[in-house]
């Protein structure tokens, strides 16, 4: 087997449930990058369909291909970052693993960066590019709206800030990596917003292709995360987005609690058992709802499954139980000692509880970074 040359260009390919697309993609890269020393790094979040195995099967005979398999993690942005930081090539590209991005423009992107740009973006929205093929009308409208919002925040002009296809110097990655939010889908936007200086951007047109195999992973939570990223960058990261999500889930939990209480006392006839019993039952319902929502939204990148889910739920009950006791205790003391009127005391108790629940469940229940 020939010793491979050190790669000049590393292509990072985040993949989740893309088993059928791995081999065709490598074949296309091979054709598009003939004559160049390149490597491809697939970053797979332990897909159940054997995506990692498909990549390793190719790697067994092609030293240009590697695979990073992450366990217990989900997230397009963090997968891209880990892939980019795993290589030593002077130039790094990020490209989807579903064949929707046009690999034949990679040489032009590389040329643009070698000619002085900090980053070359595969763009659907400059002349010669197109987005129509790959998106439904609704998804297209959403993408346009998001792009408009993003452009308002960006220090540089970019026609397609929502692109997931770009190429940059490795030094730029290394420099910006510690400041990246690393959540959600919009890694390019995150890089552009987190750079310490205005990056010189070159856009290379391409037509977004439609997906042939597998399906898109973009869903409502991804959109929520996008809103979170924009808010985070707009406020200079003053309030951790994860905390806001946790607090929002808490607010929903309050509504669930009141609804459950009304049901228990009313139609379900728990009234005779006493208000205390109904209040406890409603608390349990609300805590369970909060746990499920936090697991799906706030900590989606560290989502618990299987036995870990039940262990997490038990811990969450415990954490929130202590939080609730602290809430009642502290508010009671504040009122008794005349420090605050009951309204303010109640709010202070609730705030302390949310912060406690957040701090402890972040570290104990979900162990998010
Ligand atoms: N490792 C990993 N983990 N990969 C993921 C994850 C994840 O949680 N979620 C998605 N991917 C991979 C997919 O397997 C695919 O290779 C790529 O990331 C893009 O995901 P899609 O689900 O196909 O997204 P899309 O086609 O709707 O949107 C993409 O293209 C747009 C146009 O460039 C994204 O790249 C968008 O950011 C982009 O705007
Ligand atoms: Mn796609």
């Amino acid at each position: 087997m020939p010793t491979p040359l050190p790669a000049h260009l590393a292509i990072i390919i985040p993949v989740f449930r893309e088993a059928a697309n791995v081999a065709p993609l490598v074949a296309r890269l091979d054709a598009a990058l003939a004559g160049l020393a390149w490597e491809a790094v697939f970053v797979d979040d332990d897909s159940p369909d054997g995506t990692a195995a498909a990549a390793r099967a190719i790697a067994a005979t092609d030293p240009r291909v590697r695979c990073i398999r992450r366990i217990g993690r989900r997230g397009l942005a963090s997968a891209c970052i880990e892939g980019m930081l795993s290589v030593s090539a002077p130039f790094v590209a990020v490209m989807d693993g579903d064949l929707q991005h046009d690999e034949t423009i990679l040489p032009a992107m590389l040329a643009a960066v070698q000619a002085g740009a900090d980053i070359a973006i595969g763009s659907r929205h400059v002349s010669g590019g197109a987005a129509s093929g790959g998106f439904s009308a609704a998804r297209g409208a959403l993408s346009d709206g998001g792009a408009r919002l993003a452009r308002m925040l960006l220090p540089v002009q970019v026609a397609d800030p929502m692109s997931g296809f770009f190429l940059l110097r490795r030094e730029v990655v290394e420099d910006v990596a510690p400041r990246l939010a690393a959540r959600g889908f919009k890694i390019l936007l995150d890089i552009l917003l987190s750079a310490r200086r205005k990056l010189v951007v070159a856009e290379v047109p391409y037509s977004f292709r439609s997906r042939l195999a597998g399906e898109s992973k973009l869903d409502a939570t991804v959109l929520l995360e996008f809103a979170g990223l924009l808010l985070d960058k707009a406020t200079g990261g003053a309030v951790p987005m994860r905390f806001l999500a946790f607090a929002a889930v808490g607010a929903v939990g309050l509504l669930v609690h009141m609804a459950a209480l009304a049901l228990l006392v009313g139609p379900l006839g728990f009234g005779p058992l006493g208000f205390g019993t109904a209040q406890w039952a409603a608390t349990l319902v609300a805590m369970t709802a909060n746990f499920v929502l936090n697991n799906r939204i706030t900590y989606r990148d560290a989502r618990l499954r299987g036995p870990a889910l039940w262990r997490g739920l038990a811990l969450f009950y415990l954490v929130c139980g202590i939080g609730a006791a602290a809430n009642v205790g502290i508010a009671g003391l504040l009122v008794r000692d005349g420090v605050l009127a009951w309204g303010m005391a109640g709010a202070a108790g609730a705030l302390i509880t949310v912060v406690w629940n957040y701090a402890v469940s972040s570290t104990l229940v979900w162990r998010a970074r």
Side-chain angles (χ1 to χ4, degrees):
M1 198 182 289
T3 318
L5 291 170
H8 186 60
L9 172 66
I11 301 129
I12 312 306
I13 307 158
V15 277
F16 188 69
R17 287 197 265 114
E18 305 287 2
N21 291 318
V22 170
L25 180 56
V26 174
R28 285 180 188 220
L29 288 175
D30 190 40
L33 303 175
L36 199 84
W38 59 273
E39 68 173 335
V41 180
F42 288 89
V43 188
D44 172 55
D45 286 350
D46 206 18
S47 304
D49 71 345
T51 302
R56 291 195 200 289
I58 300 171
T61 58
D62 188 340
R64 297 171 302 184
V65 175
R66 280 201 287 135
C67 176
I68 297 175
R69 175 180 163 211
R70 308 194 305 168
I71 299 201
R73 312 263 306 277
R74 267 304 299 280
L76 177 49
S78 68
C80 295
I81 295 168
E82 271 179 52
M84 291 194 284
L85 293 177
S86 81
V87 301
S88 308
F91 299 96
V92 182
V94 168
M95 183 179 177
D96 286 355
D98 57 2
L99 309 176
Q100 288 197 277
H101 291 159
D102 182 357
E103 69 289 339
T104 61
I105 67 163
L106 280 168
M109 291 163 79
L110 180 61
V113 174
Q114 279 176 327
D118 290 307
I119 182 164
I121 301 173
S123 177
R124 297 160 287 183
H125 302 311
V126 290
S127 123
S132 47
F135 278 156
S136 65
R139 179 72 203 276
L142 252 175
S143 180
D144 288 349
R148 210 158 291 143
L149 259 172
R151 280 190 214 108
M152 298 197 303
L153 278 175
L154 277 173
V156 283
Q157 243 190 331
V158 180
D160 194 356
M162 314 295 275
S163 178
F165 188 20
F166 55 90
L167 187 153
L168 70 179
R169 294 171 189 287
R170 204 191 71 245
E171 297 107 73
V172 177
V173 178
E174 305 249 7
D175 182 52
V176 79
R179 282 188 301 285
L180 295 175
R183 304 202 59 205
F185 256 48
K186 298 305 162 193
I187 174 69
L188 170 64
L189 192 62
D190 198 357
I191 291 175
L192 293 171
L193 288 171
S194 307
R196 256 188 298 213
R197 59 185 172 84
K198 251 198 204 173
L199 296 182
V200 179
V201 172
E203 291 191 77
V204 180
Y206 81 100
S207 303
F208 193 53
R209 301 186 192 124
S210 36
R211 221 181 216 284
L212 296 177
E215 54 189 38
S216 170
K217 281 94 208 171
L218 188 136
D219 56 15
T221 7
V222 168
L223 296 177
L224 268 177
E225 280 181 333
F226 174 61
L229 174 68
L230 291 186
L231 219 103
D232 184 39
K233 293 295 168 186
T235 58
V239 185
M241 286 322 302
R242 216 190 270 280
F243 177 72
L244 283 190
F246 192 87
V249 166
V252 173
L254 189 62
L255 294 179
V256 171
H257 183 107
M258 295 316 287
L261 193 60
L263 266 178
L264 286 164
V265 176
L268 293 180
F270 268 64
L273 288 178
F275 177 75
T277 316
Q279 174 76 346
W280 267 114
T283 305
L284 213 64
V285 172
M287 285 200 292
T288 311
N290 273 15
F291 178 78
V292 170
L293 287 173
N294 277 321
N295 198 40
R296 287 203 71 97
I297 299 172
T298 315
Y299 299 101
R300 119 191 207 100
D301 53 339
R303 191 184 295 173
L304 303 172
R305 289 189 171 79
L309 183 80
W310 300 109
R311 189 186 146 272
L313 180 61
L315 254 174
F316 190 73
Y317 285 150
L318 190 73
V319 169
C320 295
I322 296 172
N327 179 359
V328 175
I330 290 166
L333 281 179
L334 290 173
V335 169
R336 192 199 64 193
D337 297 347
V339 181
L340 292 172
W342 69 266
M344 289 300 283
L351 185 68
I352 290 167
T353 308
V354 176
V355 173
W356 155 269
N357 287 353
Y358 171 69
V360 180
S361 50
S362 280
T363 44
L364 279 186
V365 182
W366 282 280
R367 290 211 189 89
R369 58 176 198 123

